[in-house]
Amino acid sequence: MLETKMDSTALKRSLKYKFLFNGDLESMQLLLNIYELEENIEYITPRYLPLSELRKSIEKILKDRRGVQLTARNLAELIHDNINRFELSIYLEGYINGYRSIKLVNKLEKMTLKHMDLPTLYKRNYLYQYSAMEDEVKSFRAIVMRKLNYSLNQSESFFSNIRIFYNSMIMPKVMKLNDHLDSQLTMESDGNETIIKYECEPFTPVELAMLSRALSTTVTSNAAKLYKEAFWNGLNDRVLKRYR
């Protein structure tokens, strides 16, 4: 039994690696099928970062730079697929861990039954993922979030895995951003003569390194938020699963 569990863990790790680093979509589908068989999880609906939001995040980092919108568009298009795969992986990890946290699931179920009758509960597609919460549930969620903040801050593997993915899949694209800039000419006049300039000036190596560090911080922060959101969703779905 132990050997079977170890084999399953190794297989999941291998499938996750192929999805993240090779872009193998079939590996993710197989991984989801395994979780459906082992955990009886049928539907996982992660939140993906829209391309427009990614552009806005990059624009904030580059807010004082000339041609920021063009640069943000080019970089966002370069890394968007990588970011989506990364976020799906983070979401799945948080969701599964929340789904498996039986003690917390039991506490949430006990609170839920105080505020919902069984006919209402049987009809629900969502619990407290998106809807208003009673004060008791709000307090419980706040406690869960604080515990997650602490556990993530103590976890070397969580942030190490983020760094490995970022350094392998995203940073190389950031450092080669100059190869993908769309240069547009603009004309400016100082009163005596017209000066032609490029809308997007190439980045220096130092500027690219600074951009990469700032983007890495944003990716890491978003990953922690997404993990906690997914963990909470997993708790809620496990409660509802008991009434389906």
Side-chain angles (χ1 to χ4, degrees):
M1 182 69 178
L2 179 60
E3 183 178 351
T4 301
K5 185 175 182 180
M6 291 176 64
D7 289 344
S8 176
T9 300
L11 175 59
K12 292 172 190 170
R13 189 181 298 116
S14 173
L15 292 171
K16 181 179 177 180
Y17 180 92
K18 290 179 181 178
F19 172 70
L20 276 175
F21 293 93
N22 299 334
D24 186 350
L25 300 181
E26 291 184 1
S27 291
M28 175 51 68
Q29 187 57 59
L30 182 54
L31 183 58
L32 293 173
N33 291 343
I34 291 173
Y35 281 123
E36 181 178 353
L37 290 173
E38 293 184 351
E39 310 282 353
N40 198 23
I41 296 174
E42 297 178 358
Y43 304 106
I44 297 179
T45 54
R47 174 184 61 82
Y48 290 104
L49 181 67
L51 184 60
S52 59
E53 287 190 24
L54 180 58
R55 282 201 305 266
K56 289 178 182 177
S57 296
I58 297 171
E59 285 175 8
K60 288 181 180 179
I61 297 173
L62 300 171
K63 59 183 179 180
D64 297 324
R65 184 178 177 82
R66 182 184 181 86
V68 59
Q69 292 182 337
L70 281 172
T71 303
R73 184 195 67 191
N74 289 329
L75 180 55
E77 290 175 352
L78 274 176
I79 66 175
H80 189 233
D81 286 345
N82 296 106
I83 293 292
N84 276 351
R85 293 202 308 275
F86 170 72
E87 289 193 338
L88 176 55
S89 176
I90 291 291
Y91 188 95
L92 184 59
E93 181 181 351
Y95 185 96
I96 294 298
N97 287 339
Y99 196 87
R100 289 173 172 172
S101 299
I102 300 302
K103 289 184 178 180
L104 294 177
V105 170
N106 291 342
K107 288 181 180 180
L108 182 58
E109 180 184 23
K110 187 176 180 180
M111 294 177 199
T112 300
L113 292 174
K114 291 181 184 178
H115 304 289
M116 291 185 196
D117 56 30
L118 289 177
T120 299
L121 194 53
Y122 280 120
K123 294 177 182 178
R124 299 281 292 225
N125 291 321
Y126 301 100
L127 198 55
Y128 296 111
Q129 294 98 316
Y130 313 107
S131 60
M133 305 176 196
E134 290 77 14
D135 289 342
E136 182 182 23
V137 179
K138 286 182 181 178
S139 297
F140 173 69
R141 186 182 187 280
I143 291 171
V144 171
M145 293 299 114
R146 284 198 296 271
K147 289 183 176 180
L148 287 175
N149 282 334
Y150 178 80
S151 64
L152 288 179
N153 287 334
Q154 298 300 312
S155 173
E156 293 184 7
S157 62
F158 182 79
F159 293 104
S160 174
N161 289 337
I162 293 174
R163 284 194 299 271
I164 290 171
F165 179 79
Y166 183 89
N167 292 341
S168 299
M169 304 302 295
I170 299 179
M171 186 170 68
K173 293 185 176 181
V174 176
M175 299 306 292
K176 293 183 178 181
L177 176 60
N178 286 336
D179 296 340
H180 302 275
L181 288 180
D182 291 335
S183 296
Q184 293 188 3
L185 295 175
T186 59
M187 292 186 295
E188 297 181 0
S189 175
D190 63 0
N192 297 319
E193 61 179 332
T194 299
I195 301 173
I196 298 177
K197 294 183 177 180
Y198 283 106
E199 181 69 16
C200 290
E201 295 288 344
F203 286 80
T204 67
V206 172
E207 288 174 330
L208 287 172
M210 292 175 62
L211 170 59
S212 183
R213 283 196 295 272
L215 186 59
S216 175
T217 300
T218 300
V219 168
T220 301
S221 175
N222 288 343
K225 292 177 183 177
L226 185 60
Y227 178 93
K228 291 183 288 185
E229 174 188 316
F231 189 98
W232 178 249
N233 290 347
L235 285 180
N236 281 263
D237 282 353
R238 188 64 179 261
V239 172
L240 281 179
K241 190 71 176 180
R242 294 174 174 177
Y243 297 89
R244 290 175 178 166

